[in-house]
């Protein structure tokens, strides 16, 4: 569809899946000309998210092939539209999950545009001009400047990329629950992967006692020694789970596999909150009694607004928070997706889109 749109005249090299096999191959396509509200970005790096796997394989039945994945994008601005005043050529910027929203509903006006019911995403979405959006597995992107954030100068562009999805996904629940400006709480992080490892870094930077909750005993040393976690609970160990009953103020659940929340809720104090940010493809078990007898709350959260994303990025610059990554080249994309599906990465793959010269 995008290639049939009149103002889509710029030929771009990228990498796309063409069917539910999920195999990624080189793909040339068209992007729109830089409009008055747009910036053009030379892409340097793009993080690889679990969502990319679901889309290339059409696990959710919504993929529009060919699909060019990627919504953890960092790069350099090469062109600026006439209505754009907050960015200039040469700026270091990032683009996350959002490509367009209605700009006029209560959520857009209240800086919660990620919950706009007309939201369109950076890839596999439908832009305002009717074109299909193509993501960051490509050399160049044209983006509306209202969905672009600035990357602080002290942050490495490759390690900053995953913050645009994984980072904001775990930051927003902390902010919503007053855990960014208030110190000294006891928080638990379920899962130590792409989301969880960033959540641990945030929790420690914001002054909290952080407990990692995992099914993998081998992750304890990594959690404590490398990421700074204060405690570690093996969730399959009933003795440990019982000993930590009613010890946590807040839990962030980053796990994407099917699981029951009952035993985790028992770790919360009375009035405690558990926020789900992982996206299991099957329903989660949610027993009523742990909520009723502990006056506990279970909530969900999806990424964050652009305002929140910029706030997060600035705090990451201030606290020197970056994702732990493995760099891969464009000819390793399929291998990366296969390993990511097996959780065989520490902790996020980032594709070196521009090549060796992009190591800024």
């Amino acid at each position: 569809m995008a290639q049939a749109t009149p103002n889509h005249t710029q030929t771009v090299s990228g990498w796309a899946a063409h069917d539910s096999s999920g195999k990624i191959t080189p793909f040339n396509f068209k992007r729109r000309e830089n409009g008055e509200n747009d910036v053009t970005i030379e892409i340097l790096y793009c993080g690889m998210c679990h969502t990319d796997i679901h889309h290339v394989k059409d696990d959710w039945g919504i993929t529009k092939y060919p699909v060019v994945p990627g919504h953890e994008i960092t790069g350099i601005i090469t062109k600026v539209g006439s209505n754009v005043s907050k960015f200039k050529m040469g700026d270091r910027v990032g683009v996350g999950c959002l490509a367009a929203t209605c700009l006029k509903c209560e959520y857009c006006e209240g800086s919660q545009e990620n919950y706009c019911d007309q939201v369109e995403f950076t890839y596999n979405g439908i832009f305002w001009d009717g074109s299909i959006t193509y993501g960051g597995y490509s050399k160049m992107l044209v983006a509306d400047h209202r969905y672009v954030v600035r990357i602080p100068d002290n942050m490495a562009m490759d390690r900053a990329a995953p913050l645009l999805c994984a980072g904001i996904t775990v930051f927003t629940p902390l902010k919503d629950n007053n855990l960014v400006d208030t110190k000294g709480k006891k928080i638990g992080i379920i899962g130590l992967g792409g989301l969880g490892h960033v959540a641990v870094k945030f929790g420690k930077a914001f002054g909290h006692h952080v407990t990692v909750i995992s099914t993998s005993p081998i992750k304890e040393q990594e959690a404590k020694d490398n990421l700074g976690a204060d405690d570690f609970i093996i969730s399959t160990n009933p003795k440990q789970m019982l000993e930590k009953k009613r010890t946590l103020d807040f839990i962030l659940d980053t796990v994407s596999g099917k699981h029951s929340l009952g035993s985790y809720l028992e770790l919360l104090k009375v009035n405690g909150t558990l926020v789900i940010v992982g996206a299991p493809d099957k329903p989660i078990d949610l027993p009523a009694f742990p909520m009723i007898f502990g006056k506990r709350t279970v909530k969900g959260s999806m990424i964050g607004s652009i305002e929140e994303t910029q706030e997060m990025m600035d705090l990451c610059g201030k606290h020197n928070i970056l994702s732990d990554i493995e760099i891969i080249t464009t000819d390793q994309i399929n291998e990366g997706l296969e390993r990511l599906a097996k959780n065989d990465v520490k902790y996020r793959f980032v594709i070196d889109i521009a090549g060796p010269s992009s190591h800024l």
Side-chain angles (χ1 to χ4, degrees):
M1 186 182 297
Q3 297 183 27
T5 306
N7 72 331
H8 284 241
T9 59
Q10 302 190 82
T11 300
V12 181
S13 298
W15 295 266
H18 295 264
D19 55 50
S20 60
S21 71
K23 183 180 179 181
I24 300 289
T25 57
F27 174 59
N28 290 333
F29 61 96
K30 303 284 188 179
R31 288 205 189 275
R32 69 182 184 273
E33 290 294 323
N34 198 84
E36 60 184 10
N37 292 312
D38 292 332
V39 294
T40 297
I41 301 167
E42 176 192 356
I43 297 175
L44 301 183
Y45 297 100
C46 185
M48 187 176 282
C49 177
H50 265 281
T51 302
D52 299 347
I53 299 173
H54 293 305
H55 275 99
V56 300
K57 291 184 176 295
D58 197 22
D59 289 339
W60 296 331
I62 58 172
T63 300
K64 307 172 185 70
Y65 291 110
V67 59
V68 178
H71 57 207
E72 299 179 343
I73 304 162
T74 57
I76 303 294
I77 289 182
T78 59
K79 191 176 293 186
V80 183
S82 59
N83 287 346
V84 179
S85 58
K86 68 176 183 177
F87 296 113
K88 64 182 186 303
M89 288 178 60
D91 281 352
R92 295 155 38 97
V93 295
V95 174
C97 300
L98 302 181
T101 59
C102 78
L103 300 175
K104 58 189 179 182
C105 70
E106 62 177 300
Y107 306 108
C108 287
E109 292 182 347
S111 293
Q112 293 189 87
E113 67 273 8
N114 47 309
Y115 294 108
C116 173
D117 65 5
Q118 296 182 47
V119 65
E120 294 294 347
F121 295 112
T122 300
Y123 72 87
N124 201 58
I126 305 292
F127 196 65
W128 288 317
D129 62 6
S131 63
I132 295 174
T133 57
Y134 291 149
Y137 291 21
S138 58
K139 292 287 189 177
M140 179 268 276
L141 176 71
V142 179
D144 187 298
H145 76 282
R146 289 165 288 200
Y147 305 96
V148 178
V149 297
R150 189 179 304 278
I151 308 294
D153 289 340
N154 66 319
M155 295 178 68
M157 295 285 269
D158 51 359
R159 296 182 65 191
L163 298 173
L164 292 156
C165 175
I168 189 60
T169 294
V170 298
F171 173 81
T172 305
L174 297 176
K175 179 179 172 62
D176 287 346
N177 288 274
N178 200 29
L179 294 168
V180 174
D181 298 319
T182 300
K183 299 181 179 181
K185 296 295 184 179
K186 291 190 173 183
I187 68 174
I189 310 297
I190 305 175
L192 192 64
L195 300 178
H197 91 283
V198 179
V200 173
K201 293 186 178 190
F202 280 146
K204 292 306 299 177
F206 301 153
H208 302 296
H209 181 283
V210 178
T211 298
V212 171
I213 308 161
S214 174
T215 59
S216 304
I218 59 173
K219 292 186 176 182
E220 180 169 3
Q221 184 175 356
E222 173 75 14
K224 290 181 176 179
D225 295 348
N226 293 354
L227 298 174
D230 301 285
D231 203 356
F232 189 92
I233 301 173
I234 302 170
S235 58
T236 52
N237 185 319
K239 183 173 182 290
Q240 288 189 16
M241 293 291 281
L242 183 61
E243 288 173 349
K244 300 298 181 179
K245 185 177 179 179
R246 292 195 173 192
T247 60
L248 302 176
D249 298 292
F250 174 86
I251 294 175
L252 188 64
D253 184 355
T254 72
V255 174
S256 58
K258 177 177 169 56
H259 57 292
S260 174
L261 297 183
S263 59
Y264 298 113
L265 287 170
E266 296 287 5
L267 299 174
L268 287 170
K269 298 176 183 178
V270 173
N271 287 312
T273 297
L274 184 150
V275 177
I276 300 166
V277 293
D281 57 2
K282 295 180 180 178
I284 291 175
D285 294 326
L286 180 58
F289 284 159
M291 288 195 295
I292 294 170
F293 284 90
K295 201 179 181 182
R296 300 175 178 109
T297 301
V298 176
K299 301 168 62 177
S301 181
M302 183 186 74
I303 53 172
S305 68
I306 296 302
E307 181 179 302
E308 289 167 331
T309 305
Q310 188 64 68
E311 178 187 359
M312 174 210 66
M313 202 61 79
D314 292 341
L315 283 169
C316 286
K318 176 182 177 181
H319 293 287
N320 194 31
I321 297 172
L322 292 162
S323 303
D324 291 355
I325 65 170
E326 290 186 40
I327 287 282
I328 60 173
T329 58
T330 54
D331 59 1
Q332 295 174 307
I333 290 175
N334 288 304
E335 178 187 348
L337 289 169
E338 289 172 7
R339 286 182 55 194
L340 178 59
K342 301 173 184 175
N343 294 316
D344 178 23
V345 56
K346 190 187 288 185
Y347 283 97
R348 204 75 160 182
F349 283 121
V350 173
I351 307 166
D352 187 352
I353 297 289
S357 62
S358 67
H359 289 204
L360 302 178

